[in-house]
Each structure stands twice: as structure tokens, then as C-alpha cells.
Amino acid sequence: MVFNWFRRQYNDSSDKTSKETSKPEAEKEQKEQAEDKVESQAKSTEESGQTTEDYLSWAKAAYKNLQEKKKNDSQESQIATETSDVEEKPESQTPSTETKSEPIISDTLPIIEHIAAEKPEPTETDTLVKPVPIVEETPSSQTKPTEEETQVKPDSILEETQTSEQLPFWAKAQAERQARVERLKETAIEEPEPETLEKTTVETELEEIDPLILDEAFLWSAEILAAQGRRPDQVSVEEISWLTKLRKGLDRTRRNLLNQLRAIVGQGPLNQDAVMEIESMLLQADVGVEATDLVIETLQNKLREEVLPPEEAIAYLKSILRDILDQPFKDAETISPAYNLTFVPEKDTLNIWLVNGVNGAGKTTTIGKIAHLATKSNYRCLIAAADTFRAAAVEQLKIWGQRSEVEVIANAGKNTDPAAVVFDAIVAAQVRNTELLLVDTAGRLQNKKNLMDELSKIHRIVQKKAPDAVVESLLVLDATLGQNGLRQAEVFAKAAKLSGVVLTKLDGTAKGGVALAVVKQLGLPIRFIGVGESLEDLRPFSSYEFVEALLSG
Ligand SMILES: Nc1nc2c(ncn2[C@@H]2O[C@H](COP(=O)(O)OP(=O)(O)OP(=O)(O)O)[C@@H](O)[C@H]2O)c(=O)[nH]1
């Protein structure tokens, strides 16, 4: 069974939902599922104090499963290596490799520069394919908090000087979590010391991508997955790794928010003065005026009804933020177009995703990362290099095509018509039964009118050549630009009939709150988020995971 990285589930019959069920019915079903999910998530968060033991055993079981899987995988790869030494290498099943030996479109479309995906060079590419570990690598550092952690997590200092009754609630929660990590360590490793710990530095490549370290990050990631109804046997190393990256990527934003929030709610039940302080805290995190106003108004309304103790105040704040992030789906019947709750390419159908954004926002990188998710999830994927205004853009895209092992359709000529590239790419996609065609569009034109004209032309070509395709239009936004990025976004929103946003570079900024501004001001859902430069550093957006990563101590 293949794991669908867009759906974050193993493929099942629901992949056929959109074909077998009518669209409104499928959307209704999706909506109900998502609402149930959000409700259960909120509940499990609030009740986390009561379910500590459950989470602990869940994490233990997940850890054990992952260790076993790792062991099996390494045994399998050992057998495969031994077999491949004596046997001829079998032909690859990937569409890209098939086209290498059979350049289908080159006869009919001679202008297309046909770039068959090649195996990446083992140097730079290799390091990109293998994500940089987020957790500390040396086993000895697994239990010790880094200097940075010690700074932001005062609990370890507090612990020594105060009894648990004197601790503020977040410090208690952290101390509790640390204690759980210790208990987990004592009981989870039911096997002898993992082999990897014995290995020398020459063999550390595997360890470098190994998030299987029983630390606080593992426990947090496990809790997040458990709270979303996942079973311990359904969890993969990559998912733990992603959540760890997400949380680490949001470190800067979280540190600022949490430090202030702790100071505010630490003063006692939330009152109107505290709400004002929350307002300035949100504005500083680039949450934007509109979203901040909404948060404050909702908090004030709640305060009129009841006093909120600190813990409940934070839980309530989290639920408000999640509601804002999920709003585009709820607006479906009224203001916004009906956005699909999940952003999953339909199997056995041509899905065309037009990727827009200014140069430097991370468009090329995003296309490469989505292509990687697609191939991992067993979709036949193709990339169209329609940003023909910058020769380097095409070259960069080819490199990302190689990394993700997806073919890139480009036109060799300079300043060629982007719409012609899209035309060629659609023909190629139809010939090959491609399921996901990712189109890189121009990042910058001389003026807004040119940009609008060009994007409209691309839309027209798509409609004409592939009337049955499922078309989505994504805007890639650089989170480090904060509010400034929103101005660019507004131009594209008018020109490109956007259906979602990809927020990149959340790892390099304290302005992660801009995600809320994007949703509130543009009315668009966030579809993917990027938290780093490597192939694995982009995943579908989850409001639950994002808010937990933003506000969990
Ligand atoms: N830290 C970090 N860097 C990122 C992320 N996404 C992209 N980048 C970096 O941002 C820079 C620009 O990314 P590109 O993908 O080349 O951006 P582009 O929008 O295609 O821009 P052009 O290449 O100029 O057309 C590169 O150095 C990327 O590695 C991210 O999520 N985190």
C-alpha cells in the first residue's frame, strides 16, 4: 500500500471519491470529516493532561514500530544489494525513466526540449534528497536540552528551586513532558541498544536522517499524530521527521509568542488588559490587523461570558487561530469559491497545478518538492518550465526535476511564449497519462497588465487543451516578507484565479503569524508550507499541526 503524502494517509478506496461520488457530495463528506477531525483534535488537546499515559503508550508503540520497520528496511536493502550484485538491474517503473528510453513526444513536438530525469549526482543532490536531521545527532545529547532550549524553557531551572505546586502551569507541563520522556526511555527500548549507536562516523549517513531519537521532539510529534486519530502502526519516520522540522522551523515565531503569552497569562485569569497585550503580541508576529482584530474580538466576547484560567485561555486562543486558518473552507457556500478541504491530486485524471509567485519566493523549490511528494505517492508527474523570462529559472527547474526524478518540459529558445510551453506540456502529459502536471509560471513581468495577460493566456490554453483537467492555481509566498508579501499576493490574486497559497521559508522567520494574515486578508486556504531548502521540507498544511507547533510550550 502506498502512502499518499498529499492526503497523509495510505491510499484506499477514498482515492476514487471524486470520480464515484458527485462533487458536491464528496465535498460535503470531506467537510463533515474535517469538522469532526477538528473537534476531536481540540478535545484531545484540552484533555491532554488526562491522557498523558495514553500518549506515552502510544509514543512507545510508535517508537517500537518504527524501530522494527527500520530494521526490516535495512535487512531488505541488504538483500537487494546482494541480489543486484549478481543479477542484472531491473528496469525502473518510474515514468521518467520510461521516457528516457522512449521519447514519446519528440517526434510530434520537435520544439520541446526533452529532459529525461536522470539519477542525481551523488554529491550535492544526495545531500538534498536526504533531509538534514533536526534533532540532535549525538546520542549523548539526546536527553540534554541545548543551550537554546534551556533559555526558552525555564522549567529545568525552576524545577531545581521550586516544588511542582509552585510552578506555573506551562512549566509543570514541560516538566511533566520531560519526565515522560525519561519514563519512555526507561521502558520503550525493549531491544538491545540500537545498532546505529555503535556505528562509526563513516556510517553515520543513515543516522543523519534518523529522527528515531527518544527526545522531547519525538514525544511532541507522536502526541500530535495521536491527537489526530492516527494509530501507532500507521506512523512513518518521515512524518515524525516532518513534525520535528515544522516545530523547529517555527522556533523563532514560537519563542516570541510563547514568551509573551506566558507573561500575559501568568498574571492570572485573562482580563481585558491581558487581551490588549495579546493584541500587540499578535501584531508583532505579523498576524495582521484583520486577523488580530478577529482574535481579540472573539477573546473579549468569551471573557464577557466567563473567566478564563491561563490553560483554558491558551486552548481557547489555539481554537480561534485554527478557526481562522480553516475559514476559507467554511466560507465555501457564501463568499469564497468552494475550496477542496484536502488538496490531493485525483488519481487517473490529469491535474494541472499552476504555480505562481514572484522570483525568489521559492517557486522552483516548491515545484521540486511537490513533484517529489507526487512521485513518492505514486502519481505520474510532469513539470512544465513556463517561466521563460529568466533563462536561469528553467535551468534551476531542471535541477529540481532531476532531484525529484520528474521530467521537465521546456523550450530551448529564449524568451519563448510561456503559453506555448504549457501547450506542449499538456500534449506531453496527455500522451503519457500524467496525473499531475506542475506548471512554473512567470514570476515577474514588466507591469501588472502583462502579468495578468500572460496568466490569463495560460488559463485559456489549459481550458482549451485540457477541458477535463482538474486545475488549481497556487501562489507561492515568502513568509519572511511578512505583511509585505501580501501586497504581491493581492496582485496575483486578481490575475491568477488563485485557489491556494504555499507559504515558504517559515523556518527563517519570526513572522510565522503571517499565515493567519494570508488566510484572513486573501480569503485563500494555505495548501502547503515549506520549512527548509531540502526536498523533504514541504508538506500539506494542517491548521492543527501549525497552531500546535506555534503555541505548544
Ligand atoms: N530556508 C528556506 N529557504 C527556502 C525555502 N523555500 C525556498 N527556499 C530558498 O529560497 C531561495 C529561492 O528559491 P527558488 O525556488 O529559487 O525561488 P523562485 O521563486 O523560483 O525564484 P527564482 O529562482 O528567482 O525564479 C532558494 O535559495 C531556496 O533554497 C524554505 O522553505 N526555507
Side-chain angles (χ1 to χ4, degrees):
M1 223 192 297
V2 176
F3 191 78
N4 187 316
W5 284 95
F6 296 98
R7 202 189 289 289
R8 298 268 305 267
Q9 274 172 14
Y10 285 96
N11 275 340
D12 56 19
S13 54
S14 60
D15 269 333
K16 290 177 188 135
T17 304
S18 45
K19 289 200 130 182
E20 288 169 2
T21 323
S22 68
K23 205 167 181 185
E25 262 176 53
E27 274 165 11
K28 196 170 159 237
E29 204 176 293
Q30 278 184 334
K31 195 171 174 172
E32 281 166 6
Q33 277 171 10
E35 278 165 4
D36 288 352
K37 199 168 148 188
V38 169
E39 257 171 44
S40 72
Q41 286 163 357
K43 212 172 163 192
S44 43
T45 311
E46 281 157 22
E47 289 174 2
S48 59
Q50 288 148 25
T51 55
T52 300
E53 286 309 318
D54 294 345
Y55 283 137
L56 187 62
S57 17
W58 195 100
K60 271 164 69 175
Y63 183 77
K64 200 171 163 222
N65 283 334
L66 290 174
Q67 273 196 324
E68 269 163 20
K69 195 169 178 297
K70 187 179 163 188
K71 213 158 89 187
N72 291 342
D73 287 351
S74 69
Q75 273 167 4
E76 271 170 29
S77 70
Q78 207 177 336
I79 294 167
T81 318
E82 284 164 14
T83 320
S84 68
D85 283 346
V86 285
E87 276 175 23
E88 208 186 310
K89 221 176 178 176
E91 273 202 14
S92 166
Q93 299 287 309
T94 59
S96 53
T97 317
E98 278 169 26
T99 56
K100 225 199 266 187
S101 56
E102 198 187 328
I104 306 167
I105 57 160
S106 55
D107 296 342
T108 48
L109 299 162
I111 57 157
I112 295 171
E113 189 188 343
H114 181 93
I115 307 133
E118 287 159 19
K119 275 268 174 229
E121 290 292 316
T123 52
E124 192 200 340
T125 311
D126 259 9
T127 50
L128 279 152
V129 171
K130 288 163 188 167
V132 178
I134 295 301
V135 288
E136 289 293 318
E137 287 155 31
T138 45
S140 60
S141 66
Q142 287 168 19
T143 55
K144 290 174 195 158
T146 59
E147 199 180 311
E148 208 175 50
E149 280 170 337
T150 319
Q151 275 168 11
V152 284
K153 294 167 187 170
D155 54 323
S156 53
I157 305 162
L158 288 167
E159 240 173 84
E160 287 168 18
T161 52
Q162 293 176 295
T163 63
S164 63
E165 289 76 38
Q166 291 169 309
L167 294 175
F169 76 90
W170 64 84
K172 262 190 240 168
Q174 281 192 335
E176 219 171 75
R177 183 173 282 167
Q178 191 56 39
R180 279 151 62 196
V181 173
E182 295 306 327
R183 269 150 57 211
L184 183 58
K185 276 185 190 153
E186 277 165 23
T187 53
I189 309 169
E190 290 166 11
E191 300 172 11
E193 283 284 284
E195 257 178 65
T196 49
L197 296 178
E198 312 270 336
K199 286 182 185 167
T200 62
T201 46
V202 186
E203 294 169 284
T204 53
E205 222 186 13
L206 203 70
E207 284 92 323
E208 277 174 15
I209 59 160
D210 185 2
L212 274 186
I213 296 174
L214 275 175
D215 59 359
E216 207 249 343
F218 183 94
L219 202 62
W220 179 83
S221 306
E223 252 182 48
I224 293 297
L225 291 169
Q228 292 180 90
R230 299 291 289 277
R231 293 200 323 253
D233 60 336
Q234 291 175 325
V235 175
S236 65
V237 168
E238 285 98 329
E239 279 189 289
I240 297 279
S241 171
W242 162 253
L243 288 170
T244 309
K245 278 181 190 178
L246 172 66
R247 186 153 175 259
K248 179 126 182 103
L250 286 169
D251 259 358
R252 286 186 63 197
T253 312
R254 183 178 57 250
R255 209 173 299 162
N256 286 348
L257 281 175
L258 268 185
N259 284 345
Q260 293 181 61
L261 200 56
R262 281 167 178 172
I264 298 167
V265 298
Q267 294 158 10
L270 207 61
N271 57 26
Q272 294 299 342
D273 289 344
V275 171
M276 290 300 115
E277 288 180 56
I278 291 179
E279 180 176 32
S280 92
M281 172 193 94
L282 294 174
L283 289 173
Q284 278 169 40
D286 266 52
V287 169
V289 176
E290 285 183 35
T292 301
D293 282 353
L294 182 59
V295 173
I296 296 307
E297 201 187 312
T298 318
L299 271 178
Q300 280 172 333
N301 288 343
K302 182 82 172 168
L303 283 183
R304 277 185 210 111
E305 290 165 18
E306 59 179 307
V307 174
L308 280 184
E311 255 167 297
E312 279 179 36
I314 292 189
Y316 189 60
L317 181 61
K318 282 184 186 174
S319 77
I320 301 173
L321 301 186
R322 277 201 307 268
D323 281 350
I324 292 177
L325 292 167
D326 292 333
Q327 195 58 40
F329 309 112
K330 293 178 193 150
D331 284 347
E333 297 92 30
T334 53
I335 320 157
S336 315
Y339 293 118
N340 290 329
L341 275 169
T342 48
F343 206 62
V344 183
E346 272 180 35
K347 284 299 282 177
D348 303 319
T349 300
L350 175 58
N351 298 264
I352 303 178
W353 291 4
L354 305 168
V355 184
N356 311 275
V358 296
N359 294 129
K363 217 157 34 91
T364 314
T365 317
T366 295
I367 289 174
K369 292 170 180 172
I370 296 179
H372 176 62
L373 285 183
T375 43
K376 265 178 34 154
S377 311
N378 225 8
Y379 287 96
R380 293 182 294 274
C381 186
L382 199 62
I383 297 172
D387 183 357
T388 56
F389 281 75
R390 232 171 47 87
V394 177
E395 290 312 310
Q396 279 163 5
L397 203 54
K398 289 179 189 175
I399 295 171
W400 276 97
Q402 286 177 343
R403 286 173 186 162
S404 53
E405 300 187 39
V406 169
E407 194 174 349
V408 177
I409 302 294
N411 190 317
K414 274 189 187 161
N415 276 350
T416 43
D417 185 356
V421 177
V422 175
F423 184 98
D424 294 342
I426 293 175
V427 173
Q430 286 166 339
V431 171
R432 287 153 212 230
N433 283 332
T434 296
E435 290 164 314
L436 181 60
L437 171 63
L438 296 164
V439 181
D440 186 17
T441 65
R444 191 162 49 128
L445 293 171
Q446 296 83 345
N447 56 46
K448 273 188 215 170
K449 187 174 179 311
N450 285 10
L451 177 70
M452 289 208 191
D453 288 349
E454 177 166 318
L455 294 175
S456 311
K457 197 168 163 190
I458 289 178
H459 275 274
R460 278 202 305 278
I461 295 282
V462 169
Q463 264 163 20
K464 202 168 160 197
K465 278 300 297 169
D468 297 330
V470 181
V471 183
E472 300 286 354
S473 186
L474 291 169
L475 176 68
V476 178
L477 269 186
D478 177 344
T480 61
L481 296 180
Q483 290 286 307
N484 292 336
L486 286 176
R487 264 166 245 136
Q488 296 167 2
E490 275 155 15
V491 175
F492 279 96
K494 284 187 194 129
K497 296 180 196 152
L498 298 173
S499 54
V501 171
V502 180
L503 204 54
T504 61
K505 309 189 197 179
L506 274 164
D507 52 314
T509 180
K511 298 175 178 175
V514 74
L516 292 133
V518 166
V519 175
K520 186 74 191 120
Q521 276 161 249
L522 302 178
L524 291 167
I526 296 177
R527 298 304 198 175
F528 296 92
I529 46 172
V531 295
E533 298 184 75
S534 82
L535 212 52
E536 297 283 352
D537 293 345
L538 178 123
R539 287 285 182 271
F541 179 75
S542 146
S543 61
Y544 175 72
E545 291 174 2
F546 182 81
V547 171
E548 287 301 314
L550 206 60
L551 288 182
S552 293

